[in-house]
Coordinates of all heavy atoms in Angstrom, one line a residue:
M1 N 96.4 28.4 23.7 CA 96.1 27.2 24.3 C 97.0 26.8 25.4 O 96.5 26.2 26.4 CB 96.2 26.1 23.1 CG 95.3 25.0 23.4 SD 94.9 23.9 22.3 CE 95.2 23.3 21.1
T2 N 98.2 27.2 25.4 CA 99.1 26.9 26.5 C 98.8 27.7 27.8 O 99.0 27.2 28.8 CB 100.6 27.2 26.1 OG1 100.7 28.5 25.7 CG2 101.0 26.3 25.0
A3 N 98.2 28.8 27.6 CA 97.8 29.6 28.8 C 96.6 28.9 29.5 O 96.6 28.9 30.7 CB 97.3 31.0 28.4
T4 N 95.8 28.2 28.8 CA 94.7 27.5 29.4 C 95.2 26.3 30.2 O 94.8 26.0 31.4 CB 93.7 27.0 28.4 OG1 93.3 28.1 27.6 CG2 92.5 26.4 29.0
K5 N 96.2 25.5 29.7 CA 96.7 24.4 30.4 C 97.5 24.9 31.7 O 97.4 24.2 32.7 CB 97.7 23.6 29.5 CG 97.0 22.8 28.5 CD 98.0 22.0 27.7 CE 97.3 21.1 26.7 NZ 98.2 20.3 25.9
G6 N 98.2 25.9 31.6 CA 98.9 26.5 32.7 C 97.9 26.9 33.8 O 98.2 26.6 35.0
T7 N 96.8 27.5 33.5 CA 95.9 27.9 34.6 C 95.2 26.7 35.2 O 94.9 26.7 36.3 CB 94.9 28.9 34.0 OG1 94.2 28.4 32.9 CG2 95.6 30.2 33.6
R8 N 94.9 25.7 34.4 CA 94.3 24.5 34.9 C 95.2 23.8 35.9 O 94.8 23.3 37.0 CB 93.9 23.5 33.8 CG 92.7 23.9 33.0 CD 92.4 22.9 32.0 NE 91.4 23.3 31.1 CZ 91.1 22.7 30.0 NH1 91.7 21.6 29.5 NH2 90.1 23.2 29.2
R9 N 96.5 23.7 35.5 CA 97.5 23.1 36.5 C 97.6 23.9 37.8 O 97.6 23.4 38.8 CB 98.8 23.0 35.8 CG 98.9 22.0 34.7 CD 100.3 21.9 34.1 NE 100.3 20.9 33.1 CZ 101.2 20.9 32.1 NH1 102.1 21.8 32.1 NH2 101.1 19.9 31.2
D10 N 97.6 25.2 37.6 CA 97.7 26.1 38.8 C 96.4 25.9 39.7 O 96.5 25.8 40.9 CB 97.8 27.5 38.4 CG 99.2 27.8 37.8 OD1 100.1 27.0 38.0 OD2 99.3 28.8 37.0
F11 N 95.3 25.8 39.0 CA 94.0 25.6 39.7 C 94.1 24.2 40.5 O 93.7 24.1 41.6 CB 92.8 25.6 38.8 CG 91.6 25.3 39.5 CD1 90.9 26.2 40.3 CD2 90.9 24.1 39.2 CE1 89.7 25.8 41.0 CE2 89.8 23.7 39.8 CZ 89.2 24.6 40.7
L12 N 94.5 23.2 39.8 CA 94.6 21.8 40.4 C 95.6 21.8 41.6 O 95.3 21.2 42.6 CB 94.9 20.8 39.4 CG 93.8 20.5 38.4 CD1 94.3 19.5 37.3 CD2 92.6 19.9 39.1
R13 N 96.7 22.4 41.4 CA 97.7 22.5 42.5 C 97.1 23.2 43.7 O 97.2 22.7 44.8 CB 98.9 23.2 42.0 CG 99.8 22.4 41.1 CD 101.1 23.1 40.8 NE 101.8 22.4 39.8 CZ 102.4 22.9 38.7 NH1 102.4 24.2 38.6 NH2 103.0 22.2 37.9
A14 N 96.5 24.4 43.4 CA 95.9 25.1 44.6 C 94.8 24.4 45.2 O 94.7 24.3 46.5 CB 95.5 26.5 44.1
S15 N 93.9 23.8 44.5 CA 92.8 23.0 45.1 C 93.3 21.8 45.8 O 92.8 21.4 46.9 CB 91.8 22.7 44.0 OG 92.3 21.8 43.0
S16 N 94.3 21.1 45.3 CA 94.8 20.0 46.0 C 95.5 20.4 47.3 O 95.4 19.6 48.3 CB 95.8 19.2 45.1 OG 97.0 20.0 44.9
L17 N 96.1 21.5 47.4 CA 96.7 22.0 48.6 C 95.6 22.3 49.6 O 95.8 22.1 50.8 CB 97.6 23.2 48.4 CG 99.0 22.9 47.7 CD1 99.7 24.2 47.4 CD2 99.8 22.0 48.5
V18 N 94.6 22.9 49.2 CA 93.5 23.2 50.1 C 92.8 22.0 50.6 O 92.6 21.9 51.8 CB 92.4 24.1 49.3 CG1 91.1 24.2 50.1 CG2 92.9 25.5 49.0
V19 N 92.6 21.0 49.8 CA 92.0 19.7 50.2 C 93.0 19.0 51.2 O 92.6 18.5 52.2 CB 91.7 18.8 49.0 CG1 91.3 17.4 49.5 CG2 90.6 19.4 48.2
L20 N 94.3 19.0 50.9 CA 95.3 18.4 51.7 C 95.3 19.1 53.1 O 95.3 18.4 54.1 CB 96.6 18.4 51.1 CG 97.8 17.7 51.8 CD1 97.5 16.2 51.9 CD2 99.1 18.0 51.1
G21 N 95.2 20.4 53.1 CA 95.2 21.1 54.4 C 93.9 20.8 55.1 O 94.0 20.7 56.4
A22 N 92.8 20.7 54.5 CA 91.6 20.4 55.2 C 91.6 19.0 55.8 O 90.9 18.7 56.8 CB 90.4 20.5 54.2
V23 N 92.3 18.1 55.2 CA 92.4 16.7 55.7 C 93.4 16.6 56.8 O 93.1 15.9 57.8 CB 92.7 15.7 54.5 CG1 93.1 14.3 55.1 CG2 91.6 15.6 53.5
I24 N 94.5 17.2 56.7 CA 95.6 17.1 57.7 C 95.3 17.9 58.9 O 95.7 17.5 60.0 CB 96.9 17.4 57.0 CG1 97.3 16.3 56.0 CG2 98.0 17.5 58.1 CD1 98.6 16.6 55.3
A25 N 94.8 19.1 58.8 CA 94.6 20.0 59.9 C 93.8 19.4 61.1 O 94.3 19.5 62.2 CB 94.0 21.3 59.4
P26 N 92.7 18.7 60.8 CA 92.0 18.2 62.0 C 92.8 17.0 62.7 O 92.7 16.9 63.9 CB 90.7 17.6 61.4 CG 90.5 18.3 60.1 CD 91.9 18.7 59.6
R27 N 93.5 16.3 61.9 CA 94.3 15.2 62.5 C 95.4 15.8 63.4 O 95.7 15.3 64.5 CB 95.0 14.4 61.4 CG 94.0 13.5 60.7 CD 94.6 12.6 59.7 NE 93.6 11.9 59.0 CZ 93.9 11.0 58.1 NH1 95.1 10.7 57.8 NH2 92.9 10.3 57.5
L28 N 96.0 16.9 63.0 CA 97.1 17.5 63.8 C 96.4 18.1 65.1 O 97.0 18.0 66.1 CB 97.8 18.6 63.0 CG 98.6 18.1 61.9 CD1 99.2 19.3 61.1 CD2 99.8 17.2 62.4
R29 N 95.3 18.7 65.0 CA 94.6 19.2 66.1 C 94.2 18.1 67.1 O 94.3 18.3 68.3 CB 93.4 20.0 65.7 CG 93.7 21.5 65.3 CD 92.5 22.3 65.2 NE 92.5 22.8 63.8 CZ 91.6 22.5 62.9 NH1 90.6 21.8 63.1 NH2 91.7 23.0 61.6
S30 N 93.8 17.0 66.6 CA 93.4 15.9 67.5 C 94.6 15.3 68.2 O 94.5 14.9 69.3 CB 92.6 14.8 66.7 OG 93.5 14.2 65.8
Q31 N 95.7 15.3 67.6 CA 96.9 14.8 68.2 C 97.4 15.7 69.4 O 97.8 15.2 70.4 CB 98.1 14.6 67.2 CG 97.9 13.5 66.3 CD 99.0 13.4 65.3 OE1 99.9 14.2 65.2 NE2 99.0 12.4 64.5
E32 N 97.2 17.0 69.2 CA 97.6 17.9 70.2 C 96.6 17.8 71.4 O 97.0 17.9 72.5 CB 97.6 19.3 69.7 CG 98.7 19.6 68.7 CD 98.5 21.0 68.0 OE1 97.6 21.7 68.4 OE2 99.3 21.3 67.1
A33 N 95.4 17.6 71.1 CA 94.4 17.5 72.2 C 94.6 16.2 73.0 O 94.5 16.2 74.2 CB 93.0 17.5 71.6
T34 N 94.9 15.1 72.4 CA 95.1 13.9 73.1 C 96.4 13.8 73.9 O 96.5 13.0 74.8 CB 95.0 12.6 72.2 OG1 95.9 12.8 71.2 CG2 93.6 12.5 71.6
A35 N 97.4 14.6 73.5 CA 98.6 14.6 74.2 C 98.5 15.1 75.6 O 99.3 14.8 76.5 CB 99.7 15.4 73.4
Q36 N 97.5 16.0 75.9 CA 97.3 16.6 77.2 C 96.4 15.7 78.1 O 96.3 16.1 79.2 CB 96.7 18.0 77.0 CG 97.5 18.9 76.1 CD 98.9 19.2 76.7 OE1 99.0 19.3 78.0 NE2 99.9 19.4 75.9
Q37 N 95.8 14.7 77.6 CA 94.9 13.9 78.4 C 95.4 12.5 78.6 O 96.3 12.1 78.0 CB 93.5 13.9 77.7 CG 92.9 15.2 77.4 CD 91.7 15.1 76.5 OE1 91.4 14.0 76.0 NE2 91.0 16.2 76.3
G38 N 94.8 11.8 79.5 CA 95.1 10.4 79.7 C 95.6 10.2 81.1 O 95.9 11.1 81.9
A39 N 95.6 8.9 81.5 CA 96.0 8.5 82.8 C 97.5 8.7 83.0 O 98.0 8.6 84.2 CB 95.6 7.0 83.0
A40 N 98.3 8.8 82.0 CA 99.8 9.0 82.1 C 100.1 10.3 82.8 O 101.2 10.4 83.4 CB 100.4 8.9 80.8
N41 N 99.2 11.3 82.8 CA 99.5 12.6 83.4 C 99.1 12.6 84.8 O 99.3 13.6 85.5 CB 98.8 13.7 82.6 CG 99.3 13.8 81.2 OD1 100.5 13.4 81.0 ND2 98.5 14.3 80.3
I42 N 98.4 11.5 85.3 CA 97.9 11.5 86.7 C 98.9 10.7 87.5 O 99.2 9.5 87.2 CB 96.5 11.0 86.7 CG1 95.6 11.8 85.9 CG2 96.0 10.9 88.2 CD1 94.2 11.2 85.7
E43 N 99.3 11.2 88.7 CA 100.2 10.4 89.5 C 99.4 9.4 90.3 O 98.3 9.7 90.9 CB 100.9 11.3 90.5 CG 101.9 10.6 91.3 CD 102.7 11.6 92.2 OE1 102.8 12.7 91.8 OE2 103.1 11.1 93.3
M44 N 99.8 8.1 90.3 CA 99.1 7.0 90.9 C 99.5 7.0 92.4 O 100.7 7.0 92.7 CB 99.5 5.7 90.3 CG 98.8 4.5 90.8 SD 99.2 3.1 89.9 CE 99.5 1.9 91.2
P45 N 98.5 7.0 93.3 CA 98.9 6.9 94.7 C 99.5 5.6 95.1 O 99.2 4.5 94.5 CB 97.5 7.1 95.4 CG 96.5 6.8 94.4 CD 97.1 7.0 93.1
Q46 N 100.5 5.6 96.0 CA 101.2 4.4 96.3 C 100.3 3.4 97.0 O 100.6 2.2 97.1 CB 102.4 4.7 97.2 CG 103.4 5.6 96.5 CD 104.0 4.9 95.3 OE1 104.3 3.8 95.3 NE2 104.2 5.7 94.3
T47 N 99.2 3.8 97.5 CA 98.3 2.8 98.2 C 97.4 2.0 97.2 O 96.7 1.1 97.6 CB 97.3 3.6 99.2 OG1 96.6 4.6 98.4 CG2 98.1 4.3 100.3
A48 N 97.5 2.4 95.9 CA 96.7 1.7 94.9 C 97.2 0.3 94.6 O 96.5 -0.6 94.2 CB 96.6 2.5 93.7
Y49 N 98.5 0.1 94.8 CA 99.2 -1.2 94.5 C 98.9 -2.1 95.6 O 99.2 -1.8 96.8 CB 100.7 -1.0 94.2 CG 101.4 -2.3 94.1 CD1 101.3 -3.0 92.9 CD2 102.2 -2.8 95.1 CE1 101.9 -4.3 92.8 CE2 102.9 -4.0 95.0 CZ 102.7 -4.7 93.8 OH 103.4 -5.9 93.7
K50 N 98.4 -3.3 95.3 CA 98.1 -4.3 96.3 C 98.7 -5.6 95.8 O 98.2 -6.3 94.9 CB 96.7 -4.5 96.6 CG 96.0 -3.2 97.1 CD 94.6 -3.4 97.4 CE 94.0 -2.0 97.9 NZ 92.6 -2.0 97.9
P51 N 99.8 -6.1 96.4 CA 100.5 -7.3 95.9 C 99.6 -8.5 96.3 O 98.9 -8.5 97.3 CB 101.8 -7.4 96.7 CG 101.6 -6.5 97.9 CD 100.6 -5.4 97.5
V52 N 99.6 -9.5 95.4 CA 98.8 -10.7 95.6 C 99.8 -11.9 95.6 O 100.6 -12.1 94.7 CB 97.8 -10.9 94.5 CG1 97.0 -12.2 94.6 CG2 96.9 -9.7 94.4
S53 N 99.6 -12.7 96.6 CA 100.4 -13.9 96.7 C 99.5 -15.0 97.2 O 98.8 -14.9 98.2 CB 101.6 -13.8 97.6 OG 101.2 -13.5 98.9
L54 N 99.5 -16.2 96.5 CA 98.7 -17.3 96.8 C 99.4 -18.2 97.8 O 100.6 -18.4 97.7 CB 98.2 -18.0 95.6 CG 97.4 -17.2 94.6 CD1 97.2 -18.0 93.3 CD2 96.1 -16.8 95.2
P55 N 98.7 -18.9 98.7 CA 99.4 -19.9 99.5 C 99.9 -21.1 98.7 O 99.3 -21.4 97.7 CB 98.4 -20.2 100.5 CG 97.1 -19.9 99.9 CD 97.3 -18.8 99.0
Q56 N 101.0 -21.7 99.1 CA 101.5 -22.8 98.4 C 100.5 -24.0 98.6 O 99.9 -24.2 99.6 CB 102.9 -23.2 98.9 CG 103.9 -22.2 98.6 CD 105.3 -22.7 99.1 OE1 105.4 -23.7 99.8 NE2 106.3 -21.9 98.8
K57 N 100.5 -24.8 97.5 CA 99.6 -26.0 97.6 C 100.4 -27.1 98.4 O 101.6 -27.2 98.3 CB 99.4 -26.5 96.2 CG 98.5 -25.6 95.3 CD 98.2 -26.3 94.0 CE 97.3 -25.4 93.2 NZ 97.0 -26.0 91.9
A58 N 99.6 -27.9 99.1 CA 100.2 -28.9 99.9 C 100.8 -30.0 99.0 O 100.2 -30.5 98.1 CB 99.1 -29.5 100.8
G59 N 102.0 -30.3 99.3 CA 102.7 -31.4 98.6 C 103.2 -31.0 97.2 O 103.6 -31.9 96.4
A60 N 103.2 -29.7 96.9 CA 103.7 -29.3 95.6 C 105.2 -29.3 95.5 O 105.9 -28.9 96.4 CB 103.2 -27.9 95.3
K61 N 105.7 -29.8 94.4 CA 107.2 -29.9 94.2 C 107.5 -29.2 92.9 O 106.7 -29.3 91.9 CB 107.6 -31.3 94.2 CG 107.4 -32.0 95.5 CD 107.9 -33.5 95.5 CE 107.6 -34.2 96.8 NZ 107.9 -35.6 96.8
P62 N 108.6 -28.6 92.8 CA 109.0 -28.0 91.5 C 109.3 -29.0 90.4 O 109.8 -30.1 90.7 CB 110.3 -27.2 91.8 CG 110.8 -27.7 93.1 CD 109.6 -28.3 93.8
L63 N 108.9 -28.8 89.2 CA 109.1 -29.7 88.1 C 110.5 -29.8 87.6 O 111.0 -30.8 87.2 CB 108.2 -29.4 86.9 CG 106.7 -29.5 87.2 CD1 105.8 -29.0 86.0 CD2 106.3 -30.9 87.6
V64 N 111.2 -28.6 87.6 CA 112.6 -28.5 87.2 C 113.4 -27.8 88.3 O 112.9 -27.0 89.0 CB 112.8 -27.8 85.9 CG1 112.4 -28.7 84.7 CG2 112.0 -26.5 85.8
A65 N 114.7 -28.0 88.3 CA 115.6 -27.3 89.2 C 115.8 -25.9 88.8 O 115.5 -25.6 87.6 CB 116.9 -28.1 89.4
Q66 N 116.2 -25.0 89.6 CA 116.4 -23.6 89.3 C 117.5 -23.5 88.2 O 117.3 -22.6 87.3 CB 116.8 -22.8 90.5 CG 115.7 -22.6 91.5 CD 116.1 -21.7 92.6 OE1 117.2 -21.3 92.7 NE2 115.1 -21.4 93.5
L67 N 118.5 -24.3 88.2 CA 119.5 -24.2 87.2 C 119.0 -24.6 85.8 O 119.3 -23.9 84.8 CB 120.7 -25.0 87.5 CG 121.6 -24.5 88.7 CD1 122.7 -25.5 89.0 CD2 122.2 -23.2 88.4
E68 N 118.2 -25.6 85.8 CA 117.6 -26.1 84.5 C 116.6 -25.0 84.0 O 116.5 -24.7 82.8 CB 116.8 -27.4 84.7 CG 117.7 -28.6 85.0 CD 116.9 -29.8 85.3 OE1 115.8 -29.7 85.9 OE2 117.4 -30.9 85.0
R69 N 115.8 -24.4 84.9 CA 114.9 -23.4 84.5 C 115.7 -22.2 83.9 O 115.3 -21.6 82.9 CB 114.1 -22.9 85.7 CG 113.1 -21.8 85.4 CD 112.6 -21.0 86.6 NE 113.8 -20.3 87.1 CZ 113.9 -20.0 88.4 NH1 112.9 -20.2 89.3 NH2 115.0 -19.3 88.8
D70 N 116.7 -21.7 84.6 CA 117.5 -20.6 84.1 C 118.1 -20.9 82.7 O 118.1 -20.0 81.8 CB 118.6 -20.3 85.1 CG 118.1 -19.7 86.4 OD1 116.9 -19.3 86.4 OD2 118.8 -19.7 87.4
E71 N 118.6 -22.1 82.5 CA 119.2 -22.5 81.2 C 118.1 -22.5 80.1 O 118.3 -22.0 79.0 CB 119.8 -23.9 81.3 CG 120.5 -24.3 80.1 CD 121.1 -25.7 80.2 OE1 121.5 -26.1 81.4 OE2 121.2 -26.4 79.2
L72 N 116.9 -23.0 80.5 CA 115.8 -23.0 79.5 C 115.4 -21.5 79.2 O 115.2 -21.2 78.0 CB 114.6 -23.7 80.1 CG 113.3 -23.6 79.3 CD1 113.5 -24.5 78.0 CD2 112.1 -24.1 80.1
E73 N 115.3 -20.6 80.1 CA 115.0 -19.3 79.9 C 116.0 -18.5 79.0 O 115.6 -17.7 78.2 CB 114.7 -18.5 81.2 CG 113.5 -18.9 81.9 CD 113.3 -18.2 83.2 OE1 114.1 -17.4 83.6 OE2 112.2 -18.4 83.8
R74 N 117.3 -18.9 79.2 CA 118.3 -18.2 78.4 C 118.2 -18.6 76.9 O 118.5 -17.9 76.0 CB 119.7 -18.6 78.9 CG 120.1 -17.7 80.0 CD 121.6 -17.9 80.3 NE 121.7 -18.0 81.7 CZ 122.0 -19.1 82.4 NH1 122.2 -20.2 81.8 NH2 122.0 -19.1 83.7
G75 N 117.6 -19.8 76.7 CA 117.5 -20.3 75.3 C 116.2 -19.8 74.6 O 116.1 -20.0 73.4
L76 N 115.3 -19.2 75.3 CA 114.1 -18.6 74.7 C 114.4 -17.4 73.8 O 115.2 -16.6 74.2 CB 113.1 -18.2 75.8 CG 112.5 -19.4 76.6 CD1 111.6 -18.8 77.7 CD2 111.8 -20.4 75.8
K77 N 113.9 -17.4 72.7 CA 114.1 -16.3 71.7 C 112.8 -15.8 71.2 O 111.8 -16.6 71.0 CB 115.0 -16.8 70.5 CG 116.3 -17.3 70.9 CD 117.3 -16.1 71.1 CE 118.7 -16.7 71.3 NZ 119.5 -15.8 72.0
C78 N 112.7 -14.6 70.8 CA 111.5 -14.0 70.2 C 111.5 -14.4 68.7 O 112.5 -14.5 68.1 CB 111.6 -12.5 70.3 SG 110.2 -11.6 69.7
A79 N 110.3 -14.7 68.2 CA 110.2 -15.2 66.8 C 110.3 -14.0 65.9 O 110.5 -14.2 64.7 CB 108.8 -15.9 66.7
C80 N 110.1 -12.8 66.3 CA 110.1 -11.7 65.4 C 111.6 -11.2 65.2 O 112.4 -11.6 65.9 CB 109.3 -10.5 65.9 SG 110.0 -9.6 67.3
P81 N 111.8 -10.4 64.2 CA 113.2 -10.0 63.9 C 113.8 -8.9 64.8 O 114.8 -8.3 64.5 CB 113.2 -9.6 62.5 CG 111.8 -9.1 62.3 CD 110.9 -10.0 63.1
C82 N 113.1 -8.6 65.9 CA 113.6 -7.6 66.8 C 114.9 -8.0 67.5 O 115.3 -9.2 67.5 CB 112.6 -7.2 67.8 SG 112.3 -8.4 69.1
K83 N 115.6 -7.0 68.0 CA 116.9 -7.3 68.7 C 116.8 -7.2 70.2 O 117.8 -7.0 70.9 CB 118.0 -6.3 68.2 CG 118.2 -6.3 66.7 CD 118.8 -7.6 66.2 CE 119.1 -7.5 64.8 NZ 119.4 -8.8 64.2
L84 N 115.6 -7.5 70.7 CA 115.4 -7.3 72.2 C 115.8 -8.5 73.0 O 115.9 -8.5 74.2 CB 113.9 -7.0 72.4 CG 113.4 -5.7 71.8 CD1 111.9 -5.5 72.1 CD2 114.2 -4.5 72.4
D85 N 116.1 -9.6 72.3 CA 116.5 -10.8 73.1 C 117.9 -10.8 73.5 O 118.8 -10.3 72.9 CB 116.3 -12.1 72.2 CG 114.8 -12.4 72.1 OD1 114.0 -12.1 73.0 OD2 114.4 -12.9 71.0

């Protein structure tokens, strides 16, 4: 009776490894294929960048001074727990 349990376990282990390999192998192949493609591998020509600037509105005045703006920006913090601030 113990020989039957041992062979069942061996069978289940072997079959689970085969199924696991069948599931993981296509994902690994797809990652390798996408690593070679994409716009990141193409050099962007320098003529593609076109800066845009709008003309100033007539009579427009800044709402806050530059020092006040800088102080406000220093006080801004990210709500997530990252350490990028």
Side-chain angles (χ1 to χ4, degrees):
M1 208 165 26
T2 57
T4 308
K5 286 185 179 180
T7 57
R8 284 183 187 167
R9 287 181 182 159
D10 292 339
F11 174 75
L12 288 175
R13 284 184 190 136
S15 61
S16 64
L17 289 176
V18 169
V19 170
L20 184 64
V23 170
I24 291 178
R27 290 184 183 182
L28 292 176
R29 276 189 239 118
S30 67
Q31 288 178 355
E32 291 172 4
T34 56
Q36 301 296 327
Q37 299 171 355
N41 295 336
I42 300 170
E43 187 174 329
M44 184 174 134
Q46 296 300 320
T47 58
Y49 173 74
K50 296 178 183 171
V52 177
S53 60
L54 298 174
Q56 292 183 354
K57 293 183 179 181
K61 296 180 183 176
L63 296 175
V64 284
Q66 286 185 357
L67 291 175
E68 292 174 328
R69 182 202 62 204
D70 293 343
E71 186 178 329
L72 174 72
E73 287 180 355
R74 275 191 227 105
L76 295 176
K77 300 276 185 204
C78 182
C80 73
C82 71
K83 302 292 183 192
L84 296 177
D85 290 327

